[in-house]
Amino acid sequence: DVKVTQSSRYLVKRTGEKVFLECVQDMDHENMFWYRQDPGLGLRLIYFSYDVKMKEKGDIPEGYSVSREKKERFSLILESASTNQTSMYLCASSTAGVLNTQYFGPGTRLTVL
Amino acid sequence: GDSVTQMEGPVTLSEEAFLTINCTYTATGYPSLFWYVQYPGEGLQLLLKATKADDKGSNKGFEATYRKETTSFHLEKGSVQVSDSAVYFCALSDGGATNKLIFGTGTLLAVQP
């Protein structure tokens, strides 16, 4: 079975802190994604990566950056956390190519105080 | 840009009732369509998909038919169970190589015994 794991299920940080959210997949997938999930807004794509060291902005990249130094790991970085970044963050991965299924991790619920 | 609209929830049904969750889309090309499900405390998982007009996706008793003429992909199940209680997301992919998905806002389904 494909497994996507996220480093924390729950995280509480203070405004202005630098926050790292880690995602690891064990299926040698080329593509990895970071979404945030908010009530009434569904899932919105923050960043995605289609190869090591390659990244592209999604729909809401402001206030976030990403890092992909190894194929299995994709990190989301909040350079200076703000209260409006309180949300559920979901990581996903898929093989390259058209229409391949995205596999999701369990999510990290981040609260910024 | 491309978008997905799905009916607002929550949808509350009794066990064995018939379920319909409406989903319509706007897309410039010929998207593929998906339903994902999120059980409480878990990440999203693919429920079913359809890649071209008139295709029917099905899984676990759920069905959805890709209707190009009405730009719809409604989710149906003939007899729901308590274990079907979850949030359901409709999504589309434009088929690009990076496999990006655009999600609807999600519909919470609560099935009562």
Side-chain angles (χ1 to χ4, degrees):
Chain A
D1 271 357
V2 174
K3 193 153 187 191
V4 180
T5 56
Q6 296 184 229
S7 49
S8 305
R9 292 300 299 269
Y10 300 93
L11 208 53
V12 179
K13 296 292 182 180
R14 299 217 173 264
T15 302
E17 281 193 74
K18 190 168 186 175
V19 181
F20 293 87
L21 303 182
E22 305 285 342
C23 175
V24 177
Q25 50 94 3
D26 66 357
M27 283 300 291
D28 203 36
H29 284 171
E30 291 80 10
N31 297 338
M32 296 188 76
F33 306 82
W34 274 108
Y35 296 90
R36 64 177 281 177
Q37 180 182 4
D38 299 291
L41 297 176
L43 274 73
R44 293 177 292 167
L45 182 64
I46 304 171
Y47 267 97
F48 66 98
S49 169
Y50 50 91
D51 202 350
V52 174
K53 296 190 187 294
M54 306 303 287
K55 60 187 179 185
E56 282 197 25
K57 293 179 180 179
D59 300 316
I60 52 164
E62 297 78 19
Y64 304 94
S65 62
V66 289
S67 172
R68 193 163 179 205
E69 297 295 321
K70 293 185 178 181
K71 191 174 186 180
E72 67 271 17
R73 188 180 296 270
F74 191 36
S75 302
L76 179 69
I77 304 156
L78 288 65
E79 295 288 343
S80 177
S82 64
T83 54
N84 63 13
Q85 293 178 310
T86 292
S87 187
M88 171 71 86
Y89 290 88
L90 292 169
C91 175
S93 72
S94 75
T95 54
V98 176
L99 303 175
N100 291 326
T101 300
Q102 288 190 23
Y103 295 87
F104 283 80
T108 296
R109 183 163 294 283
L110 172 66
T111 302
V112 182
L113 302 176
Chain B
D2 295 356
S3 65
V4 174
T5 302
Q6 59 182 107
M7 64 188 285
E8 292 204 16
V11 174
T12 304
L13 295 173
S14 297
E15 212 165 16
E16 299 184 2
F18 184 86
L19 168 71
T20 300
I21 300 178
N22 290 338
C23 171
T24 57
Y25 67 89
T26 302
T28 51
Y30 300 95
S32 293
L33 302 172
F34 304 80
W35 278 101
Y36 277 80
V37 58
Q38 185 179 34
Y39 296 105
E42 298 183 14
L44 278 72
Q45 54 185 274
L46 179 67
L47 182 60
L48 53 85
K49 66 182 181 184
T51 58
K52 60 183 187 299
D54 300 325
D55 266 5
K56 178 186 278 189
S58 61
N59 186 24
K60 299 182 181 180
F62 291 89
E63 292 184 340
T65 301
Y66 187 162
R67 302 279 188 207
K68 186 162 174 275
E69 63 276 12
T70 55
T71 62
S72 65
F73 192 54
H74 304 322
L75 183 69
E76 296 182 336
K77 187 176 185 183
S79 175
V80 294
Q81 306 300 312
V82 172
S83 58
D84 293 327
S85 299
V87 181
Y88 292 82
F89 292 91
C90 186
L92 70 80
S93 169
D94 63 4
T98 51
N99 208 22
K100 286 163 55 178
L101 292 173
I102 296 170
F103 286 89
T105 55
T107 302
L108 173 63
L109 170 65
V111 180
Q112 299 175 337

